[in-house]
Amino acid sequence: MENKTSFLPREGEAKPSRCPDNSAFKQQRLPAWKPQLTIASVLSCFFLTGAFCLTVGVCLVLSANSVREIQIDYSDKCSDCSKLRENSSNWNKECHCSVNFTLKEDILGDVFMYYGLENFYQNHRRYVISRSDAQLLGRNVNIQRSYCAPFSTYRNGTPMAPCGAIANSMFNDTIDLFYHRNSSVIQVPLLKTGNSWWTDKNVKFRNPESYNLSTAFAGTARPPYWQKPVYLLDEEDGRNNGYVNDDFIVWMRVSAFATFRNLYRRVRRVRHFARGLPAGNYTFRIAYNFPVTRFKGRKHVILSTVVWSGGSNPFLGIAYLVSGTAATLTGFVITGIHLKLRKKKTYFQKQ
């Protein structure tokens, strides 16, 4: 039988030590700055942090409140078109609806048009990865090896361009804005381009190299829910077509929340709209193509201005105000505790 005590140290032998080596590095004797936390330094940090956060929070909240914004829900006002779109066999039938509204005051400056969706979840993992970045770079790839399924190929083997669930569910309502001036109706000029990031337009999305876009996408087919192929997304501007279309790029940037808005158009500041949108009566003319009834969603059109801090979302300002208030209150609490303990110490010293 093997002796179990053979691993024990013999008499006279030193036991192995697990202590670190006696060096300046391992024994933490290197020169270092060690802050001395005094009551003055601690209270100064809390009160200065609180003052900074409160100042920034007030500025952000006031800036967000200065944004002019009007939001119109057209889900119910276009109910007839909504019923038509619920039947997928009517995909090739056009349906238009109009929504009237009034601006009581001028909206001066740059005016941005957004479309908003409610209860549309883009944060599901299968949905987020359902795309082919190599395909969106204009490369000739085998999309069957990507995460695009089941929106990768048709039954006959024809690949989809672009593939994936994100592209297939692209928002495709067409929204035009009209201004009623006296007895005439003027269409508000809207800019289709310049709404995406430079890196998206020039780095992440590219069209296949070819002398003609229709030739470049030969052998592919549009996604099932699209009404026209990708190379005809903008028939008026060839530079805004294919994978570099601004509406397509903006949609491919998925949202983290179920309620979100995406930039759709910008008002071109010319003629009657050189200073922005004048007060008066307006009409949204909408080509209704995007159904939302099945997932109990809602659709909005938003006209808004922007300021140096962004849009009308006050969340960041409120977060700064809460942080500043918490830091300031903590400073007062520490001050009270310090004064109370100092009085007790003075009392015992007198005794």
Side-chain angles (χ1 to χ4, degrees):
M1 180 180 293
E2 186 178 354
N3 188 3
K4 295 183 179 181
T5 61
S6 60
F7 297 100
L8 297 176
R10 299 178 181 177
E11 293 184 7
E13 292 184 0
K15 295 183 179 180
S17 175
R18 295 185 180 180
C19 295
D21 296 337
N22 189 20
S23 63
F25 177 76
K26 293 187 177 181
Q27 294 295 339
Q28 300 182 16
R29 292 196 300 265
L30 292 175
W33 177 71
K34 299 179 181 180
Q36 300 296 327
L37 296 179
T38 63
I39 187 63
S41 62
V42 172
L43 290 179
S44 299
C45 290
F46 275 105
F47 284 120
L48 289 176
T49 302
F52 173 78
C53 291
L54 289 174
T55 303
V56 175
V58 170
C59 294
L60 289 174
V61 170
L62 292 177
S63 176
N65 291 337
S66 66
V67 174
R68 292 291 312 280
E69 179 176 299
I70 179 172
Q71 179 171 310
I72 297 174
D73 188 328
Y74 66 94
S75 305
D76 297 330
K77 297 178 181 179
C78 298
S79 57
D80 293 338
C81 292
S82 178
K83 294 177 181 177
L84 179 70
R85 286 287 171 258
E86 289 305 315
N87 189 349
S88 59
S89 61
N90 297 325
W91 66 270
N92 58 345
K93 296 181 180 179
E94 295 185 358
C95 188
H96 296 82
C97 59
S98 299
V99 180
N100 301 319
F101 67 98
T102 302
L103 287 181
K104 297 181 180 180
E105 298 178 357
D106 297 344
I107 301 182
L108 303 178
D110 293 329
V111 182
F112 299 83
M113 179 188 293
Y114 302 84
Y115 62 84
L117 291 177
E118 267 185 45
N119 207 37
F120 189 93
Y121 290 87
Q122 290 188 310
N123 54 5
H124 192 281
R125 179 179 176 275
R126 289 282 302 276
Y127 182 89
V128 171
I129 66 175
S130 184
R131 58 187 291 166
S132 174
D133 291 322
Q135 184 193 47
L136 298 177
L137 284 171
R139 300 172 184 171
N140 186 12
V141 295
N142 184 5
I143 60 175
Q144 291 184 346
R145 297 181 180 180
S146 66
Y147 295 102
C148 289
F151 301 102
S152 54
T153 60
Y154 285 92
R155 293 182 178 178
N156 59 2
T158 304
M160 299 181 189
C163 70
I166 306 176
N168 183 60
S169 61
M170 176 180 169
F171 182 86
N172 57 352
D173 282 0
T174 302
I175 306 172
D176 294 317
L177 180 61
F178 295 89
Y179 172 52
H180 300 271
R181 186 174 185 269
N182 299 328
S183 58
S184 60
V185 179
I186 304 173
Q187 184 172 3
V188 179
L190 302 174
L191 296 173
K192 298 180 180 180
T193 57
N195 302 326
S196 59
W197 298 347
W198 183 91
T199 52
D200 287 342
K201 194 87 171 180
N202 297 274
V203 179
K204 296 178 65 176
F205 294 84
R206 294 177 184 174
N207 284 325
E209 295 183 1
S210 178
Y211 66 92
N212 191 315
L213 267 186
S214 59
T215 305
F217 288 99
T220 64
R222 58 177 176 80
Y225 290 173
W226 285 29
Q227 296 178 325
K228 50 188 176 182
V230 65
Y231 55 85
L232 294 178
L233 288 179
D234 190 350
E235 301 180 27
E236 299 175 359
D237 188 357
R239 296 172 299 177
N240 189 39
N241 235 330
Y243 295 149
V244 296
N245 177 265
D246 275 52
D247 292 339
F248 174 70
I249 291 175
V250 170
W251 177 258
M252 293 299 290
R253 192 184 310 125
V254 297
S255 172
F257 302 100
T259 299
F260 62 92
R261 64 176 64 178
N262 284 335
L263 182 59
Y264 181 67
R265 296 289 184 268
R266 292 176 295 129
V267 174
R268 187 179 180 186
R269 298 176 64 177
V270 294
R271 300 180 60 188
H272 305 291
F273 313 100
R275 299 176 61 242
L277 290 180
N281 297 321
Y282 289 83
T283 299
F284 280 124
R285 181 173 171 79
I286 302 168
Y288 198 104
N289 298 309
F290 193 85
V292 295
T293 306
R294 290 188 177 180
F295 57 88
K296 298 179 181 179
R298 311 287 298 180
K299 293 194 290 187
H300 311 271
V301 184
I302 303 105
L303 295 174
S304 176
T305 59
V306 295
V307 290
W308 62 271
S309 61
S312 61
N313 189 354
F315 173 79
L316 186 60
I318 295 174
Y320 268 101
L321 288 176
V322 172
S323 301
T325 303
T328 305
L329 291 177
T330 304
F332 281 116
V333 171
I334 294 175
T335 303
I337 295 174
H338 171 68
L339 294 176
K340 186 176 180 180
L341 293 178
R342 188 174 66 175
K343 288 181 180 179
K344 287 185 177 181
K345 185 177 181 180
T346 305
Y347 172 77
F348 285 113
Q349 285 178 352
K350 290 182 179 179
Q351 293 295 328

